[in-house]
Amino acid sequence: QVELVESGGGLVQAGESLRLSCSASGNTASITGMGWDRQGPGTSREMIARIRADGSAIYGDSVKGRFTISRDNAKNTLFLEMNSLRPADTAVYSCNAELRDTDGRSSRAWGQGTQVTVAS
């Protein structure tokens, strides 16, 4: 079992920055990749960023060049640096982790999410 707890959400003005954190606990040795998704009001879940165990990352088109994902493996913490925020970035941001057990089976864990609101 892996537990993920996000923090750092809040209300900001358009153009400002925000940094989200996601702390992982439990069987963290089973974590391979990690990522952030978001779901805005009335929209479907959107992949924002993924970071692999080797540190390589991919981003959704809507946040490329503005958001940066990083991880501190020693502290089991995932980060999302968000710059040049727009009202369209308003959403609940959820941390997730790809898990691999000793039998090689894969699963995914999700955090509860943190609200980010960007005012115009």
Side-chain angles (χ1 to χ4, degrees):
Q1 281 285 66
V2 169
E3 181 176 326
L4 303 172
V5 178
E6 302 96 336
S7 61
L11 172 64
V12 296
Q13 297 296 313
E16 293 183 343
S17 299
L18 207 58
R19 188 191 199 203
L20 304 183
S21 299
C22 172
S23 178
S25 61
N27 186 18
T28 57
S30 66
I31 296 175
T32 55
M34 298 188 76
W36 292 94
D37 286 18
R38 71 184 181 188
Q39 186 163 13
T43 67
S44 56
R45 186 185 294 273
E46 175 187 9
M47 190 282 287
I48 295 303
R50 293 279 187 272
I51 186 167
R52 301 184 183 92
D54 64 4
S56 60
I58 59 172
Y59 295 91
D61 288 341
S62 62
V63 304
K64 280 180 184 177
R66 299 188 298 125
F67 291 11
T68 303
I69 189 172
S70 61
R71 63 193 287 184
D72 183 334
N73 291 327
K75 296 183 178 180
N76 295 312
T77 304
L78 180 72
F79 302 100
L80 184 69
E81 186 74 36
M82 304 185 293
N83 298 316
S84 302
L85 283 162
R86 307 164 180 168
D89 294 318
T90 295
V92 174
Y93 286 71
S94 299
C95 167
N96 61 85
E98 299 167 21
L99 311 177
R100 182 73 57 85
D101 67 17
T102 53
D103 293 324
R105 291 171 299 193
S106 297
S107 60
R108 189 178 292 272
W110 293 88
Q112 291 294 315
T114 185
Q115 177 70 45
V116 172
T117 302
V118 184
S120 57

